[in-house]
Amino acid sequence: MKKRILAAGSILFALSALTYGQSTTRDFLHANPQFFGSTGTPYYCNDTTDTPAPEGFVPFHIDHIARHGSRTHDSKTLVPNLYKTFNRADSLDLLTPQGKLLKSQIDSIYHRMNHRWGDLTPLGARQHRDMARRMYHRFAPVFNPQDGQVNLIAQSTTVPRSMASMAAFVAEMRGYTPTADFSMDPSNGYDNTLRPFNSKDYKEYLANGSWKSVLKEYQKRHTPTRLIDQTFKKGWENVIPNPVTFMTHLYALTMILPNTDYGISLFPWFTEDEKYDLWSVNNLSQYLRKANYIPGKGLPVAIAKPLLTDMLATSQAAIDGNGAEANLRFAHGENTIPLLAMLGIENAAVTEEDPEKVADQWQDFKYNPMATNIQWVLYRNAAGRVLVKILFNEQEVKLPIESAQAPYYDWEAFKTYCAEMMARYPDASLPLQ
C-alpha cells in the first residue's frame, strides 16, 4: 500500500467534511483556493490506500469510466470574443494601465489557444497515463491472469480530447502489458452510453427547462463587475454591452488556465469574495444542468442508465468467462456526474431547490474535476464468490448496501442495488434509435 500524502489526505478529509455538512464551502475554498477552478480543477489523486480484501479474494476485472483530462477552453467563440473586446477597447483608448496589462495576458492566451479549442493538454495526457500506472500496480492480478490471456477493451466518444485521453491511458498500460490484446475504439456507435446527453428528452430540458431563469437571476445577484471599472475607462459600455456575460466569460477562461502550460494565471485579478461568487455561479449551472435538481425531475441523472447498464453487462460477462479483463471508457462530465448521482456516491444525488444553498450542498470541483473517474473492481475467491469494490477518483467509497466487509460488496447485492437506484429515475429517449 502506498503511504498517504499529507496534503492529499487533508484535502480528502476536508472534502468529506463538506459532504456531511461539517464545513462551509467558503471556508474550504479559503483553505484550498485551487478549487476555485470549478469543473476546470485539474485532477487530484495522491492517496490510493486500499482496505485489504477479504482473505482469499483476488481482483480479476475492472470497469472504468473517466472524463477526459485537462483541456483548453472548449468554446470557439469565448476567448476570441474576449480578445476582440480588449483590442477594440484599446483602439478606442478605453483601457486603464491595468487594463493594458490584462489585455497583454488575453492576447498571449488567445494566440496560444487559437484553433486548439477543447484540445487535451499535456497535463491532461499525464493525468490518464498516471491513472493507468496506478491501476496496473494497484490491481496487478487483473492484468496477470493465470491463463496469461489479457484482453483490454477501450472505448471513447469521437471528441478529440476523449480519444486523446484514451490514447494516453492505453499507451501507458501497454508498457506494463505488452502482450495484451488491446481493442481501442472511438466511435459514434457508443453514443447511447457515452453521449447520452444527446437524448431528445434531455436536450429539451437543456433548451427549455425552468433552470435557465433560475440561473439567470442568480447570475445577476452574484456576478461582481468591479474589475471592469478597474481595467476599463468610462464609456466601457460601448464595448461591453452585457457586463454579467463579460465577467462570466472572463472567469471561465480564468478557471481553465491551470490546465495549460502557458504559465499565466488570471486569478490574481479577482478578490477572494469575487472568486467565490463567480465560482458559485458556475457551480449552480453545473448542478442545475447535470445533477439532481428537483425541477429536473431526475432527467439529468436518468441519462446515465444506459452507461450503468452497460458497465453491469461487461462485468457480468467477465464473471461468466467471456469478457475482458478491463473495460475502459473515456467520455465527459455529462457521464460521470449523473452516474455518481445514480450510484448514490458521496451525496452526489442531493436535491436542493434553493439556489442560494446549492454551494454548500453540492460542489462541482468535487464531483467533476478534469479526468473524474468511477471504477469498480471485481474480486473472486476459490469458491467462485464475487465481490465488488467501488472507487470514485480512485478512492474507495462505501454504499448503503449491507456488508460485513465494506467497502467490498457481494456482486449480486450490488446488481440489485443498481436496479433499485435506476428505478428511481425516469426513462429518457436515447440519442441513437
Coordinates of all heavy atoms in Angstrom, one line a residue, residues 158-235:
T158 N -16.1 10.3 -30.0 CA -15.2 10.8 -31.1 C -14.8 12.2 -30.9 O -14.2 12.8 -31.8 CB -16.0 10.7 -32.5 OG1 -17.2 11.4 -32.4 CG2 -16.3 9.2 -32.8
V159 N -15.0 12.8 -29.7 CA -14.5 14.1 -29.4 C -13.0 14.0 -29.2 O -12.5 13.1 -28.5 CB -15.2 14.7 -28.2 CG1 -14.6 16.0 -27.8 CG2 -16.7 14.8 -28.4
P160 N -12.2 14.8 -29.9 CA -10.7 14.6 -29.8 C -10.1 14.5 -28.5 O -9.2 13.7 -28.2 CB -10.2 15.8 -30.6 CG -11.2 16.1 -31.6 CD -12.5 15.8 -30.9
R161 N -10.6 15.3 -27.5 CA -10.0 15.2 -26.2 C -10.2 13.9 -25.5 O -9.4 13.4 -24.7 CB -10.4 16.4 -25.3 CG -11.9 16.5 -25.1 CD -12.2 17.7 -24.3 NE -13.7 18.0 -24.2 CZ -14.3 18.8 -25.1 NH1 -13.7 19.3 -26.2 NH2 -15.6 19.0 -25.0
S162 N -11.4 13.3 -25.8 CA -11.7 12.0 -25.2 C -10.9 10.9 -25.9 O -10.3 10.0 -25.2 CB -13.2 11.7 -25.3 OG -13.9 12.6 -24.5
M163 N -10.7 11.0 -27.2 CA -9.9 10.0 -27.9 C -8.4 10.1 -27.4 O -7.7 9.1 -27.3 CB -10.0 10.2 -29.4 CG -11.3 9.9 -30.0 SD -11.4 9.9 -31.8 CE -11.2 11.7 -32.2
A164 N -7.9 11.3 -27.3 CA -6.6 11.5 -26.8 C -6.4 11.0 -25.4 O -5.3 10.5 -25.1 CB -6.2 13.0 -26.9
S165 N -7.4 11.2 -24.6 CA -7.3 10.6 -23.2 C -7.2 9.1 -23.2 O -6.4 8.5 -22.5 CB -8.5 11.1 -22.4 OG -8.6 12.5 -22.2
M166 N -8.0 8.5 -24.1 CA -7.9 7.1 -24.2 C -6.5 6.6 -24.7 O -5.9 5.7 -24.2 CB -9.0 6.6 -25.2 CG -8.9 5.1 -25.5 SD -10.3 4.5 -26.6 CE -9.9 5.4 -28.1
A167 N -6.0 7.3 -25.7 CA -4.7 7.0 -26.3 C -3.6 7.1 -25.2 O -2.7 6.2 -25.1 CB -4.4 7.9 -27.4
A168 N -3.7 8.1 -24.4 CA -2.6 8.3 -23.3 C -2.7 7.2 -22.3 O -1.7 6.6 -21.9 CB -2.8 9.6 -22.6
F169 N -3.9 6.8 -21.9 CA -4.1 5.7 -20.9 C -3.6 4.4 -21.5 O -2.8 3.7 -20.9 CB -5.6 5.6 -20.6 CG -5.9 4.7 -19.4 CD1 -6.2 5.3 -18.2 CD2 -5.9 3.3 -19.6 CE1 -6.5 4.4 -17.1 CE2 -6.2 2.5 -18.5 CZ -6.5 3.0 -17.3
V170 N -4.0 4.1 -22.7 CA -3.6 2.8 -23.3 C -2.1 2.8 -23.6 O -1.5 1.7 -23.4 CB -4.4 2.6 -24.6 CG1 -3.9 1.4 -25.4 CG2 -5.9 2.4 -24.3
A171 N -1.5 3.9 -24.0 CA -0.1 3.9 -24.3 C 0.7 3.5 -23.0 O 1.6 2.8 -23.0 CB 0.3 5.3 -24.8
E172 N 0.2 4.1 -21.9 CA 0.9 3.8 -20.6 C 0.7 2.3 -20.2 O 1.6 1.6 -19.8 CB 0.4 4.7 -19.5 CG 1.0 4.5 -18.1 CD 2.4 5.0 -18.1 OE1 2.8 5.8 -19.0 OE2 3.1 4.6 -17.1
M173 N -0.6 1.8 -20.4 CA -0.9 0.5 -20.0 C -0.2 -0.5 -20.8 O 0.2 -1.6 -20.4 CB -2.4 0.2 -20.1 CG -2.9 -1.1 -19.5 SD -2.5 -1.3 -17.7 CE -3.8 -0.3 -17.0
R174 N 0.1 -0.2 -22.1 CA 0.8 -1.1 -23.0 C 2.2 -1.4 -22.5 O 2.8 -2.5 -22.7 CB 0.9 -0.5 -24.4 CG -0.3 -0.7 -25.3 CD 0.0 -0.3 -26.7 NE -1.2 -0.3 -27.5 CZ -1.7 -1.4 -28.1 NH1 -1.0 -2.6 -28.0 NH2 -2.7 -1.3 -28.9
G175 N 2.8 -0.4 -21.8 CA 4.1 -0.6 -21.3 C 4.2 -1.6 -20.2 O 5.3 -2.3 -20.1
Y176 N 3.1 -1.8 -19.5 CA 3.1 -2.9 -18.5 C 2.5 -4.2 -18.9 O 2.8 -5.2 -18.3 CB 2.2 -2.4 -17.3 CG 2.6 -1.0 -16.7 CD1 1.8 0.1 -16.9 CD2 3.9 -0.8 -16.1 CE1 2.2 1.3 -16.4 CE2 4.3 0.4 -15.6 CZ 3.4 1.5 -15.8 OH 3.8 2.7 -15.3
T177 N 1.7 -4.1 -20.0 CA 1.1 -5.4 -20.5 C 1.4 -5.5 -22.0 O 0.5 -5.5 -22.9 CB -0.4 -5.3 -20.3 OG1 -0.9 -4.1 -20.9 CG2 -0.7 -5.3 -18.8
P178 N 2.6 -5.7 -22.4 CA 3.0 -5.6 -23.9 C 2.4 -6.8 -24.7 O 2.2 -6.7 -25.9 CB 4.5 -5.7 -23.8 CG 4.8 -6.4 -22.5 CD 3.8 -5.9 -21.6
T179 N 2.0 -7.9 -24.0 CA 1.4 -9.0 -24.8 C -0.1 -9.0 -24.7 O -0.8 -9.9 -25.3 CB 1.9 -10.3 -24.2 OG1 1.5 -10.5 -22.8 CG2 3.4 -10.4 -24.3
A180 N -0.7 -8.0 -24.1 CA -2.2 -7.9 -24.0 C -2.8 -7.6 -25.4 O -2.2 -7.0 -26.2 CB -2.6 -6.8 -23.0
D181 N -4.0 -8.1 -25.5 CA -4.8 -7.9 -26.7 C -5.6 -6.6 -26.5 O -6.6 -6.7 -25.7 CB -5.7 -9.1 -27.0 CG -6.5 -8.9 -28.3 OD1 -6.2 -7.9 -29.0 OD2 -7.4 -9.7 -28.6
F182 N -5.3 -5.5 -27.1 CA -5.9 -4.3 -26.9 C -7.0 -4.0 -28.0 O -6.7 -4.3 -29.2 CB -5.0 -3.1 -26.9 CG -4.3 -2.9 -25.6 CD1 -3.0 -3.5 -25.4 CD2 -4.8 -2.0 -24.7 CE1 -2.4 -3.3 -24.2 CE2 -4.1 -1.8 -23.5 CZ -2.9 -2.4 -23.2
S183 N -8.1 -3.5 -27.6 CA -9.1 -3.0 -28.6 C -9.4 -1.6 -28.2 O -9.8 -1.3 -27.1 CB -10.4 -3.8 -28.5 OG -11.4 -3.2 -29.2
M184 N -9.0 -0.7 -29.1 CA -9.1 0.8 -28.8 C -10.0 1.4 -29.9 O -9.7 1.4 -31.1 CB -7.7 1.5 -28.8 CG -7.8 2.9 -28.3 SD -6.1 3.5 -27.9 CE -5.4 3.6 -29.6
D185 N -11.2 1.8 -29.5 CA -12.3 2.0 -30.4 C -13.1 3.3 -30.1 O -14.0 3.3 -29.3 CB -13.3 0.8 -30.5 CG -14.3 1.0 -31.6 OD1 -14.1 1.8 -32.5 OD2 -15.3 0.2 -31.6
P186 N -12.7 4.4 -30.8 CA -13.6 5.6 -30.7 C -14.7 5.5 -31.7 O -14.4 5.3 -32.9 CB -12.6 6.8 -31.0 CG -11.6 6.1 -31.9 CD -11.5 4.7 -31.6
S187 N -15.9 5.8 -31.3 CA -17.0 5.6 -32.2 C -18.3 6.3 -31.8 O -18.6 6.4 -30.6 CB -17.3 4.1 -32.4 OG -18.5 3.9 -33.2
N188 N -19.0 6.8 -32.8 CA -20.3 7.4 -32.5 C -21.3 6.3 -32.2 O -22.4 6.5 -31.7 CB -20.8 8.1 -33.8 CG -20.0 9.4 -34.0 OD1 -19.5 10.0 -33.1 ND2 -19.9 9.7 -35.3
G189 N -20.9 5.0 -32.4 CA -21.8 3.9 -32.1 C -22.0 3.7 -30.6 O -22.8 3.0 -30.1
Y190 N -21.1 4.4 -29.8 CA -21.3 4.4 -28.3 C -22.1 5.5 -27.7 O -22.1 5.8 -26.5 CB -19.9 4.3 -27.6 CG -19.0 3.2 -28.1 CD1 -17.8 3.4 -28.6 CD2 -19.5 1.9 -28.0 CE1 -17.0 2.3 -29.1 CE2 -18.7 0.8 -28.5 CZ -17.5 1.0 -29.0 OH -16.7 0.0 -29.5
D191 N -22.8 6.3 -28.6 CA -23.5 7.5 -28.1 C -24.5 7.2 -27.1 O -24.8 8.0 -26.2 CB -24.1 8.2 -29.3 CG -23.1 9.1 -30.1 OD1 -21.9 9.0 -29.7 OD2 -23.5 9.8 -31.0
N192 N -25.2 6.0 -27.2 CA -26.2 5.7 -26.2 C -25.6 5.6 -24.8 O -26.3 5.9 -23.8 CB -26.8 4.3 -26.5 CG -27.9 4.5 -27.6 OD1 -28.3 5.6 -27.9 ND2 -28.4 3.4 -28.1
T193 N -24.3 5.2 -24.6 CA -23.7 5.0 -23.3 C -22.8 6.2 -23.0 O -22.8 6.7 -21.9 CB -22.9 3.7 -23.2 OG1 -22.0 3.7 -24.3 CG2 -23.9 2.5 -23.3
L194 N -22.0 6.7 -24.0 CA -21.0 7.7 -23.7 C -21.4 9.1 -24.1 O -20.7 10.1 -23.7 CB -19.7 7.3 -24.4 CG -19.1 6.0 -24.0 CD1 -17.8 5.7 -24.7 CD2 -19.0 5.9 -22.5
R195 N -22.5 9.3 -24.9 CA -23.0 10.6 -25.2 C -24.5 10.6 -25.0 O -25.3 11.1 -25.8 CB -22.7 11.0 -26.6 CG -21.2 11.3 -26.8 CD -20.9 11.8 -28.2 NE -21.5 13.1 -28.5 CZ -20.9 14.2 -28.2 NH1 -19.8 14.3 -27.6 NH2 -21.5 15.4 -28.5
P196 N -25.0 10.2 -23.8 CA -26.5 10.1 -23.6 C -27.1 11.5 -23.4 O -28.3 11.6 -23.5 CB -26.6 9.3 -22.3 CG -25.3 9.6 -21.5 CD -24.3 9.7 -22.6
F197 N -26.3 12.5 -23.3 CA -26.8 13.9 -23.2 C -27.3 14.4 -24.5 O -27.9 15.5 -24.6 CB -25.7 14.8 -22.6 CG -24.3 14.6 -23.3 CD1 -24.0 15.3 -24.4 CD2 -23.4 13.8 -22.7 CE1 -22.7 15.1 -25.0 CE2 -22.1 13.6 -23.2 CZ -21.8 14.3 -24.4
N198 N -27.2 13.6 -25.6 CA -27.9 13.9 -26.8 C -29.3 13.4 -26.9 O -29.9 13.5 -28.0 CB -27.0 13.3 -28.0 CG -25.8 14.2 -28.3 OD1 -25.8 15.4 -28.0 ND2 -24.8 13.7 -28.9
S199 N -29.8 12.8 -25.8 CA -31.1 12.2 -25.9 C -32.1 13.4 -26.1 O -31.9 14.5 -25.6 CB -31.4 11.5 -24.6 OG -31.8 12.4 -23.6
K200 N -33.2 13.1 -26.8 CA -34.2 14.1 -27.1 C -34.8 14.7 -25.8 O -34.9 16.0 -25.8 CB -35.3 13.4 -27.9 CG -36.4 14.4 -28.3 CD -37.5 13.7 -29.1 CE -38.7 14.7 -29.4 NZ -39.7 14.0 -30.2
D201 N -35.1 13.9 -24.8 CA -35.7 14.5 -23.6 C -34.8 15.4 -22.9 O -35.2 16.5 -22.4 CB -36.2 13.3 -22.7 CG -37.2 12.5 -23.3 OD1 -38.0 12.9 -24.2 OD2 -37.4 11.3 -22.9
Y202 N -33.5 15.0 -22.8 CA -32.6 15.8 -22.0 C -32.3 17.1 -22.8 O -32.1 18.2 -22.2 CB -31.3 15.0 -21.8 CG -30.3 15.7 -21.0 CD1 -30.5 16.2 -19.7 CD2 -29.0 16.0 -21.5 CE1 -29.6 16.9 -19.0 CE2 -28.0 16.7 -20.8 CZ -28.4 17.1 -19.5 OH -27.4 17.8 -18.8
K203 N -32.1 17.0 -24.1 CA -31.9 18.2 -24.9 C -33.0 19.2 -24.8 O -32.8 20.4 -24.7 CB -31.6 17.9 -26.4 CG -30.3 17.1 -26.6 CD -30.1 16.6 -28.0 CE -29.8 17.8 -28.9 NZ -29.5 17.3 -30.3
E204 N -34.3 18.7 -24.7 CA -35.4 19.6 -24.5 C -35.3 20.3 -23.1 O -35.6 21.5 -23.0 CB -36.7 18.8 -24.6 CG -38.0 19.5 -24.2 CD -38.3 20.7 -25.1 OE1 -37.8 20.7 -26.2 OE2 -39.0 21.6 -24.7
Y205 N -34.9 19.5 -22.1 CA -34.7 20.1 -20.7 C -33.6 21.2 -20.8 O -33.8 22.3 -20.2 CB -34.3 19.0 -19.7 CG -33.9 19.5 -18.4 CD1 -34.8 20.0 -17.5 CD2 -32.6 19.5 -18.0 CE1 -34.5 20.5 -16.3 CE2 -32.2 20.0 -16.7 CZ -33.2 20.5 -15.9 OH -32.8 21.0 -14.7
L206 N -32.5 20.9 -21.5 CA -31.5 21.9 -21.5 C -32.0 23.2 -22.3 O -31.6 24.3 -21.9 CB -30.3 21.4 -22.3 CG -29.4 20.3 -21.5 CD1 -28.2 19.9 -22.4 CD2 -29.0 20.8 -20.2
A207 N -32.8 23.0 -23.3 CA -33.2 24.1 -24.1 C -34.3 25.0 -23.4 O -34.4 26.2 -23.5 CB -33.7 23.6 -25.5
N208 N -35.2 24.3 -22.7 CA -36.4 25.0 -22.3 C -36.7 24.8 -20.8 O -37.8 25.2 -20.3 CB -37.6 24.5 -23.1 CG -37.5 24.9 -24.6 OD1 -37.2 26.0 -24.9 ND2 -37.6 23.8 -25.4
G209 N -35.8 24.2 -20.0 CA -36.1 23.9 -18.6 C -36.2 25.2 -17.8 O -35.6 26.2 -18.1
S210 N -36.9 25.1 -16.7 CA -37.0 26.2 -15.8 C -35.7 26.6 -15.1 O -35.6 27.7 -14.6 CB -38.0 25.9 -14.7 OG -37.6 24.8 -13.9
W211 N -34.7 25.8 -15.2 CA -33.4 26.1 -14.6 C -32.8 27.3 -15.2 O -32.0 28.0 -14.6 CB -32.4 24.9 -14.8 CG -32.1 24.6 -16.3 CD1 -32.7 23.8 -17.2 CD2 -31.0 25.2 -17.0 NE1 -32.1 23.9 -18.4 CE2 -31.0 24.7 -18.3 CE3 -29.9 26.1 -16.6 CZ2 -30.1 25.1 -19.3 CZ3 -29.0 26.4 -17.6 CH2 -29.1 25.9 -18.9
K212 N -33.1 27.6 -16.5 CA -32.5 28.8 -17.2 C -32.8 30.1 -16.5 O -31.9 30.9 -16.3 CB -32.9 28.8 -18.6 CG -32.5 27.5 -19.4 CD -32.9 27.6 -20.9 CE -31.9 28.4 -21.6 NZ -32.1 28.3 -23.1
S213 N -34.0 30.3 -16.1 CA -34.4 31.5 -15.4 C -33.8 31.6 -14.0 O -33.4 32.6 -13.5 CB -35.9 31.7 -15.4 OG -36.5 30.6 -14.7
V214 N -33.7 30.4 -13.4 CA -33.1 30.3 -12.0 C -31.7 30.8 -12.1 O -31.2 31.6 -11.3 CB -33.2 28.9 -11.5 CG1 -32.4 28.8 -10.2 CG2 -34.7 28.5 -11.2
L215 N -30.9 30.3 -13.1 CA -29.5 30.6 -13.2 C -29.3 32.1 -13.6 O -28.5 32.8 -13.0 CB -28.9 29.7 -14.3 CG -27.4 30.0 -14.6 CD1 -26.6 29.7 -13.3 CD2 -26.9 29.1 -15.7
K216 N -30.2 32.6 -14.5 CA -30.1 34.0 -14.9 C -30.2 34.9 -13.7 O -29.5 35.9 -13.5 CB -31.1 34.3 -16.0 CG -31.0 35.7 -16.6 CD -32.0 35.9 -17.7 CE -31.9 37.2 -18.3 NZ -32.8 37.4 -19.4
E217 N -31.2 34.7 -12.9 CA -31.4 35.5 -11.7 C -30.3 35.4 -10.7 O -29.9 36.4 -10.1 CB -32.8 35.2 -11.0 CG -34.0 35.6 -11.9 CD -34.0 37.0 -12.2 OE1 -33.8 37.9 -11.3 OE2 -34.3 37.4 -13.4
Y218 N -29.8 34.2 -10.5 CA -28.7 34.0 -9.6 C -27.4 34.8 -10.1 O -26.7 35.4 -9.4 CB -28.4 32.6 -9.4 CG -27.3 32.2 -8.4 CD1 -27.7 32.1 -7.1 CD2 -26.0 32.2 -8.7 CE1 -26.8 31.8 -6.1 CE2 -25.0 31.9 -7.7 CZ -25.4 31.7 -6.4 OH -24.5 31.4 -5.4
Q219 N -27.2 34.7 -11.4 CA -26.1 35.4 -12.1 C -26.1 36.9 -11.8 O -25.1 37.5 -11.5 CB -26.0 35.1 -13.6 CG -25.5 33.8 -14.0 CD -25.5 33.6 -15.5 OE1 -26.5 33.9 -16.1 NE2 -24.4 33.1 -16.0
K220 N -27.3 37.5 -11.9 CA -27.5 38.9 -11.7 C -27.1 39.3 -10.2 O -26.5 40.3 -10.0 CB -28.9 39.3 -11.9 CG -29.3 39.3 -13.4 CD -30.8 39.7 -13.5 CE -31.3 39.6 -14.9 NZ -32.7 40.0 -15.1
R221 N -27.4 38.4 -9.3 CA -27.1 38.7 -7.9 C -25.7 38.4 -7.5 O -25.2 39.0 -6.5 CB -28.0 37.8 -7.0 CG -29.5 38.1 -7.1 CD -30.3 37.5 -6.0 NE -30.2 36.1 -5.9 CZ -31.0 35.2 -6.6 NH1 -31.9 35.7 -7.4 NH2 -30.8 33.9 -6.5
H222 N -25.0 37.5 -8.2 CA -23.7 37.0 -7.8 C -22.6 37.2 -8.8 O -21.6 36.5 -8.7 CB -23.8 35.6 -7.4 CG -24.7 35.3 -6.2 ND1 -24.2 35.4 -4.9 CD2 -26.0 35.0 -6.1 CE1 -25.1 35.2 -4.1 NE2 -26.2 34.9 -4.7
T223 N -22.7 38.2 -9.7 CA -21.6 38.4 -10.7 C -21.1 39.8 -10.4 O -21.6 40.8 -10.8 CB -22.1 38.3 -12.1 OG1 -22.7 37.0 -12.3 CG2 -21.0 38.5 -13.1
P224 N -19.9 39.9 -9.7 CA -19.3 41.2 -9.4 C -18.7 41.8 -10.7 O -18.1 41.1 -11.5 CB -18.2 40.9 -8.4 CG -17.9 39.4 -8.7 CD -19.1 38.8 -9.2
T225 N -18.8 43.1 -10.8 CA -18.3 43.8 -12.0 C -17.2 44.8 -11.7 O -16.8 45.6 -12.5 CB -19.4 44.5 -12.8 OG1 -20.1 45.4 -11.9 CG2 -20.4 43.4 -13.3
R226 N -16.7 44.8 -10.5 CA -15.7 45.8 -10.0 C -14.5 45.8 -11.0 O -13.9 46.9 -11.3 CB -15.2 45.4 -8.6 CG -14.0 46.3 -8.2 CD -13.2 45.5 -7.1 NE -12.7 44.3 -7.5 CZ -11.5 44.1 -8.2 NH1 -10.8 45.2 -8.5 NH2 -11.1 42.9 -8.5
L227 N -14.1 44.6 -11.5 CA -12.9 44.5 -12.3 C -13.1 45.3 -13.6 O -12.1 45.8 -14.2 CB -12.6 43.1 -12.6 CG -11.3 42.8 -13.4 CD1 -10.1 43.3 -12.6 CD2 -11.2 41.3 -13.6
I228 N -14.3 45.4 -14.1 CA -14.5 46.2 -15.3 C -14.1 47.7 -15.1 O -13.4 48.3 -15.9 CB -16.0 46.1 -15.8 CG1 -16.3 44.7 -16.2 CG2 -16.2 47.1 -16.9 CD1 -17.7 44.5 -16.6
D229 N -14.5 48.3 -14.0 CA -14.1 49.6 -13.7 C -12.7 49.8 -13.4 O -12.1 50.9 -13.5 CB -14.9 50.1 -12.5 CG -16.4 50.3 -12.8 OD1 -16.7 50.8 -13.9 OD2 -17.3 50.0 -11.9
Q230 N -12.0 48.7 -13.0 CA -10.5 48.8 -12.7 C -9.7 48.8 -14.0 O -8.7 49.4 -14.1 CB -10.1 47.6 -11.8 CG -8.6 47.6 -11.5 CD -8.2 46.4 -10.6 OE1 -9.1 45.7 -10.1 NE2 -7.0 46.1 -10.6
T231 N -10.2 48.1 -15.0 CA -9.4 47.8 -16.2 C -9.9 48.6 -17.4 O -9.2 48.7 -18.4 CB -9.4 46.3 -16.5 OG1 -10.8 45.8 -16.6 CG2 -8.6 45.6 -15.5
F232 N -11.2 49.2 -17.3 CA -11.7 49.9 -18.4 C -12.0 51.4 -18.0 O -12.4 51.6 -16.8 CB -13.0 49.3 -19.0 CG -12.8 48.0 -19.7 CD1 -12.6 46.8 -19.0 CD2 -12.7 48.0 -21.1 CE1 -12.4 45.6 -19.7 CE2 -12.5 46.8 -21.8 CZ -12.3 45.6 -21.1
K233 N -11.9 52.3 -18.9 CA -12.3 53.7 -18.6 C -13.7 53.9 -18.8 O -14.5 53.0 -19.2 CB -11.5 54.6 -19.5 CG -10.0 54.6 -19.3 CD -9.3 55.5 -20.3 CE -7.8 55.4 -20.2 NZ -7.1 56.3 -21.2
K234 N -14.2 55.1 -18.4 CA -15.6 55.4 -18.6 C -15.9 55.3 -20.1 O -15.1 55.7 -20.9 CB -15.9 56.8 -18.1 CG -15.9 57.0 -16.5 CD -16.2 58.4 -16.1 CE -16.2 58.5 -14.6 NZ -16.5 59.9 -14.1
G235 N -17.1 54.8 -20.3 CA -17.5 54.6 -21.7 C -17.4 53.1 -22.1 O -17.6 52.8 -23.3

